[in-house]
């Protein structure tokens, strides 16, 4: 290990425009910290790249010294694949530039940008695209994994709005993928994640949107409002997204005192736009007598950071995608809520799909887009002694939902759940085709710290 560090200091560091961090360097500890505090790994080298040339040189160094290579965008993935023990981390956090072409309605996003970088850049032009539901998510990993967000029923998944990707391959070559150039690779990047190289820029289609209407409605957990929400969303226009969420109510002005610090049911309704259409769309839920909450028009970028959780929590997430949500399924979802760790930052979530998610005809490796609902146990807690309880709650939620499951799953929502779940997230036929693309761009499986696709 000492030899690797000496080599990195004398051979890699002088060749990078960015920064090379070794374990004794200032900033190393911060650079190896991930959103999920359960992940504690110490890479031998962290290459904070400034441009694609840096990325190619870091890959060359890692391969030349037989180091396992991890790629870090936002560091938000629950599985902790952005770190490697004793290997090399290609850290893109210095590459955050977002360039908006307002006339063409596109945004070119550097590989290390997080969602707030994208949202704030497009906000100035009254434009937006489907983003993650928190502002700290890395744009690259989010979009390459499919990209589910508040606007998906209106504008499709993030990858449905992906127009081009530039990435550095395992051989250190920079390639461009779009509908005309390397179309098989472009197809694979719509759900196949970071298996094929390091994405140094992504170009997205944008849509006219500046303000959204948000209703955040609170009830005690024993109120059966989830059934009403299910019925509401079954006929809601595509402009409406949101979620039903059980969580620990925070001490906010819109939260009644008797709910603060307690398990609470939140119905979040997001309308892509404002005015009378928004009022009419959300009216059926706002008329049910909520005990607290807020209804407001706000910039979309503000919505994106409204539910942010700070890093440092212990994390365990998973998901089950269901074809229908009959009363029995609603009852099981509600009954599992008290098993989560309270108080904590955990959330017991029910997301509606449909709309543009289901209607988009593109044949991408995203078999879960046809599901009607997603159940997402999002575990975030502080104390190690709560690990067993939190993980059991998440796994129990999946068991409860399996009678209605489609069998497919959004891979960005899960951690290490085995090869079968990876295939379920991509589709069996898609997985075979993805293996062939993987063999072309990464035949030695250098980029295997992800939901891995094994090359043929």
């Amino acid at each position: 290990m000492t030899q690797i560090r000496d080599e990195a200091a004398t051979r890699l560091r002088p060749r990078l425009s960015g920064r090379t961090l070794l374990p004794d360097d200032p900033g190393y500890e911060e650079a190896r910290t991930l959103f999920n505090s359960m992940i504690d790994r110490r890479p031998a080298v962290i290459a904070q790249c400034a441009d694609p040339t840096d990325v190619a040189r870091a890959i060359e160094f890692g391969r030349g010294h037989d180091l396992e290579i991890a790629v870090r965008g936002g560091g938000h993935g629950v599985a902790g694949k952005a770190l490697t023990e004793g290997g090399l981390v290609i850290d893109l956090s210095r590459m955050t530039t977002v360039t908006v072409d307002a006339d063409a309605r596109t945004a070119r996003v550097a590989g290390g940008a997080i969602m707030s970088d994208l949202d704030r850049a497009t906000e100035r032009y009254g434009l937006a695209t489907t983003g993650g539901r928190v502002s700290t998510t890395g744009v690259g990993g989010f979009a390459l994994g499919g990209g589910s967000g508040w606007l998906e029923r209106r504008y499709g998944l993030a990858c449905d709005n992906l127009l081009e990707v530039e990435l550095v391959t395992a051989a250190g070559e920079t390639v461009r993928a779009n509908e005309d150039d390397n179309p098989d690779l472009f197809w694979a990047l719509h759900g196949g994640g970071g298996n094929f190289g390091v994405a140094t820029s992504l170009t997205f289609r944008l849509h006219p949107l500046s303000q959204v209407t948000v209703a955040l409605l609170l009830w005690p957990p024993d109120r059966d409002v989830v059934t009403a929400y299910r019925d509401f969303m079954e006929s809601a226009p595509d402009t409406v997204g949101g979620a039903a969420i059980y969580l620990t109510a925070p001490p906010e002005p819109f939260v009644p005192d008797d709910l603060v610090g307690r398990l609470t049911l939140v119905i979040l309704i997001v309308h892509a736009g404002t005015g009378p259409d928004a009022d009419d769309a959300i009216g059926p839920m706002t008329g049910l007598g909520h005990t607290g909450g807020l209804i407001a028009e706000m910039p979309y970028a503000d919505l994106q950071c409204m539910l942010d959780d700070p890093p440092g929590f212990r994390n365990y997430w998973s998901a089950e995608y269901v074809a229908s949500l009959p009363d029995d399924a609603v009852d099981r979802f509600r009954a599992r809520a008290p098993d989560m760790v309270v108080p904590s930052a955990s959330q017991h979530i029910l997301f509606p799909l449909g709309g543009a998610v289901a209607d988009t005809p593109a044949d991408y490796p995203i078999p879960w887009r046809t599901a009607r609902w997603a159940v997402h146990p999002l575990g975030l807690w502080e104390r190690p002694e709560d690990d067993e309880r939190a993980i059991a709650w998440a796994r129990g939620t999946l068991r409860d939902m399996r009678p209605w499951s489609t069998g497919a799953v959004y891979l960005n929502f899960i951690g290490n759940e085995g090869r079968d779940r990876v295939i379920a997230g991509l589709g069996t036929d898609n997985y075979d085709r993805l293996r062939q693309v993987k063999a072309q761009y990464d035949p030695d499986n250098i980029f295997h710290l992800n939901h891995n696709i094994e090359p043929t």
Side-chain angles (χ1 to χ4, degrees):
M1 189 64 69
T2 300
Q3 180 183 358
I4 293 297
R5 294 173 184 175
D6 290 345
E7 289 280 314
T10 59
R11 297 183 181 274
L12 180 61
R13 181 174 282 159
R15 299 184 68 210
L16 292 192
S17 299
R19 189 180 182 193
T20 302
L21 292 176
L22 305 176
D24 294 332
D25 290 338
Y28 172 86
E29 292 298 327
E30 180 181 359
R32 76 177 189 90
T33 301
L34 299 182
F35 184 79
N36 184 358
S37 67
M38 295 179 77
I39 310 300
D40 183 18
R41 299 181 187 132
R42 300 186 65 83
V45 186
I46 300 175
Q48 294 187 323
C49 300
D51 52 38
T53 300
D54 277 2
V55 172
R57 288 172 176 170
I59 293 172
E60 178 187 15
F61 179 85
R63 297 197 67 175
H65 292 82
D66 199 25
L67 295 175
E68 184 176 57
I69 296 176
V71 181
R72 176 177 180 142
H76 202 276
V78 65
K81 300 291 192 175
L83 279 187
T84 169
E85 183 66 38
L88 168 72
V89 174
I90 296 176
D91 183 343
L92 304 179
S93 60
R94 289 176 170 248
M95 301 170 61
T96 61
T97 301
V98 178
T99 304
V100 177
D101 184 334
D103 293 333
R105 293 183 182 172
T106 62
R108 188 173 187 268
V109 185
I114 61 174
M115 203 54 59
S116 61
D117 297 320
L118 173 58
D119 293 334
R120 294 303 180 187
T122 59
E123 179 183 35
R124 293 193 287 270
Y125 302 94
L127 299 169
T129 195
T130 302
R133 295 178 175 90
V134 295
S135 67
T136 54
T137 300
V139 175
F142 166 76
L144 298 181
S148 172
W150 300 126
L151 300 180
E152 64 190 6
R153 283 172 46 85
R154 180 71 177 92
Y155 301 124
L157 303 171
C159 73
D160 296 334
N161 293 283
L162 187 62
L163 301 175
E164 184 171 278
V165 180
E166 291 184 4
L167 79 165
V168 181
T169 69
E173 299 173 348
T174 298
V175 299
R176 177 183 289 111
N178 53 44
E179 289 186 350
D180 298 318
D181 298 326
N182 301 302
D184 281 349
L185 175 61
F186 188 58
W187 172 85
L189 294 172
H190 289 71
N195 274 281
F196 311 99
V198 181
T200 54
S201 78
L202 305 93
T203 301
F204 295 94
R205 179 187 302 109
L206 303 178
H207 306 272
L209 181 71
S210 55
Q211 298 276 113
V212 295
T213 302
V214 177
L216 189 71
L217 311 176
L218 279 63
W219 282 272
D222 58 347
R223 286 286 305 276
D224 181 14
V225 184
V226 178
T227 302
Y229 176 69
R230 175 203 62 191
D231 296 342
F232 163 73
M233 286 306 307
E234 291 288 353
S235 59
D238 294 353
T239 51
V240 174
I245 312 170
Y246 287 95
L247 49 68
T248 302
E252 297 286 351
F254 57 84
V255 178
D257 290 342
D258 61 343
L259 290 182
V260 172
R262 298 177 180 273
L263 183 66
T264 300
L265 172 62
V266 174
I267 300 296
L268 174 63
I269 305 171
V270 178
H271 183 275
T274 59
D277 287 346
D279 296 337
D280 291 344
I282 68 177
M285 290 304 299
T286 58
L288 292 182
H290 51 284
T291 59
L294 62 85
I295 302 172
E297 297 176 358
M298 65 178 64
Y300 169 67
D302 288 354
L303 164 67
Q304 285 288 79
C305 58
M306 191 167 73
L307 296 179
D308 280 0
D309 286 311
F313 289 109
R314 303 173 74 79
N315 282 241
Y316 187 90
W317 318 342
S318 196
E320 203 69 50
Y321 280 70
V322 299
S324 63
L325 199 72
D327 289 347
D328 286 351
V330 172
D331 291 343
R332 291 193 188 187
F333 175 76
R334 293 180 60 226
R336 187 62 68 170
D339 294 341
M340 63 192 285
V341 176
V342 177
S344 77
S346 294
Q347 299 176 26
H348 187 50
I349 310 173
L350 177 66
F351 287 124
L353 278 76
V357 178
D359 293 341
T360 299
D363 180 28
Y364 297 136
I366 304 179
W368 46 272
R369 73 158 73 239
T370 58
R372 295 296 301 171
W373 297 89
V375 176
H376 181 33
L378 179 72
L380 300 94
W381 65 98
E382 294 183 272
R383 306 184 308 165
E385 51 266 40
D386 286 327
D387 288 1
E388 184 175 347
R389 175 184 167 192
I391 294 171
W393 155 70
R395 291 175 175 172
T397 299
L398 302 190
R399 288 195 301 272
D400 289 346
M401 293 297 111
R402 281 191 183 133
W404 303 279
S405 174
T406 67
V409 64
Y410 175 37
L411 295 179
N412 282 359
F413 273 177
I414 72 172
N416 296 321
E417 297 187 12
R419 182 174 181 270
D420 287 347
R421 282 281 267 179
V422 172
I423 296 174
L426 300 167
T428 302
D429 293 340
N430 293 330
Y431 186 75
D432 292 339
R433 180 178 170 186
L434 288 163
R435 291 186 67 196
Q436 296 174 31
V437 179
K438 175 79 169 182
Q440 181 178 353
Y441 291 94
D442 183 16
D444 298 320
N445 207 11
I446 298 301
F447 300 115
H448 61 266
L449 290 179
N450 41 50
H451 290 298
N452 193 234
I453 297 165
E454 300 168 359
T456 53

